[in-house]
Amino acid sequence: MQIMFSTKASVNDYHNEGKSFSFPNLTQKLCPNCKKRKLNKHGFYSRYFISKVFTGHILIRRHICPKCGKTVSSVSSLPFFCHPRRTYSTEFIVKSLTHYYNRLSTLSTCLKDFLHDYGVLCSRHLLYRYRKRFLENLNFLSMEMIKALGLKDFVYEKEIRKRAKQVLSLVHHTAWTSIDVSIKLFKNSRHSYLTHLHFIV
């Protein structure tokens, strides 16, 4: 199981501090699986991460339940700048989808423009996977983002492409970043942009 956490540290600071980083300490928490024993620290594992400012391996703190043996990864120590089960950053995912749904040109031109604007290559295959997962979650995201952002009297677009564009526009509805919205969305629904975290084991 993975639990997301918020940090003001940049990914470079997170990486440079390594095992010295102030990871969330879950040893006083009951196991979220069996709820019978408190968790123990269980070392680290390495996770590859790609963003605009950093590409490389980062360490993820793990905890384990001495009763049921289930491990709990710190997406409690995988911060919000990471996206669960995805190599690319949360920001990359949101910006690539936003670029796609706002495009006025061919897909090839869209991807070239994204590389020029963001500085990281996004392949057709990668974008297809993000779009597929995003659309699978679209109805749920529509409702939960409205709740998380505290918007009232919101009218959903009925056509799928328009609603996808509408949901992505909510990320930039205020001065919040895609990570700010990710934090609000997770705290409200235990959901990220592409993944419902209750199903990560």
Side-chain angles (χ1 to χ4, degrees):
M1 182 178 290
Q2 295 180 316
I3 307 167
M4 298 189 79
F5 85 106
S6 180
T7 177
K8 293 182 179 179
S10 69
V11 62
N12 285 295
D13 291 338
Y14 181 95
H15 172 259
N16 291 336
E17 291 185 35
K19 293 181 180 180
S20 299
F21 183 81
S22 181
F23 296 99
N25 184 356
L26 304 184
T27 56
Q28 297 304 308
K29 303 287 186 182
L30 285 175
C31 171
N33 181 62
C34 70
K35 303 187 188 307
K36 293 182 179 179
R37 294 284 295 276
K38 291 182 178 179
L39 298 167
N40 294 333
K41 291 182 180 178
H42 190 56
F44 300 86
Y45 71 91
S46 179
R47 180 189 193 277
Y48 199 65
F49 177 74
I50 302 172
S51 71
K52 186 174 184 177
V53 297
F54 177 88
T55 297
H57 286 89
I58 57 175
L59 291 177
I60 308 302
R61 161 64 79 185
R62 288 195 300 186
H63 293 76
I64 191 169
C65 175
K67 177 70 176 178
C68 69
K70 292 284 187 179
T71 58
V72 178
S73 302
S74 282
V75 166
S76 110
S77 295
L78 197 164
F80 276 103
F81 51 70
C82 297
H83 193 291
R85 304 181 74 179
R86 301 292 185 272
T87 301
Y88 288 82
S89 70
T90 296
E91 181 186 59
F92 175 93
I93 291 169
V94 172
K95 286 189 178 295
S96 62
L97 288 169
T98 301
H99 233 78
Y100 172 78
Y101 283 106
N102 287 331
R103 70 191 176 102
L104 299 173
S105 57
T106 64
L107 180 57
S108 295
T109 302
C110 171
L111 294 174
K112 288 178 182 177
D113 289 343
F114 179 75
L115 175 60
H116 178 268
D117 294 343
Y118 191 72
V120 181
L121 179 66
C122 182
S123 69
R124 286 173 178 262
H125 179 65
L126 187 62
L127 181 59
Y128 170 78
R129 281 164 44 202
Y130 290 162
R131 284 167 47 210
K132 183 174 183 293
R133 192 72 175 139
F134 181 68
L135 291 176
E136 287 172 356
N137 286 299
L138 188 57
N139 289 337
F140 179 84
L141 285 171
S142 299
M143 295 183 291
E144 294 303 324
M145 285 186 73
I146 297 307
K147 293 178 187 176
L149 299 177
L151 301 177
K152 298 179 179 179
D153 302 320
F154 189 84
V155 179
Y156 300 111
E157 291 282 1
K158 293 183 179 180
E159 196 269 316
I160 295 297
R161 184 182 177 88
K162 288 182 178 179
R163 185 183 291 191
K165 185 175 179 179
Q166 183 183 40
V167 169
L168 288 165
S169 72
L170 293 176
V171 178
H172 310 289
H173 182 74
T174 67
W176 294 328
T177 66
S178 56
I179 296 173
D180 294 328
V181 177
S182 179
I183 293 170
K184 288 181 177 292
L185 183 61
F186 174 76
K187 288 181 176 178
N188 188 68
S189 65
R190 291 299 185 266
H191 207 293
S192 62
Y193 293 109
L194 305 182
T195 307
H196 195 305
L197 298 180
H198 285 313
F199 298 132
I200 300 177
V201 179

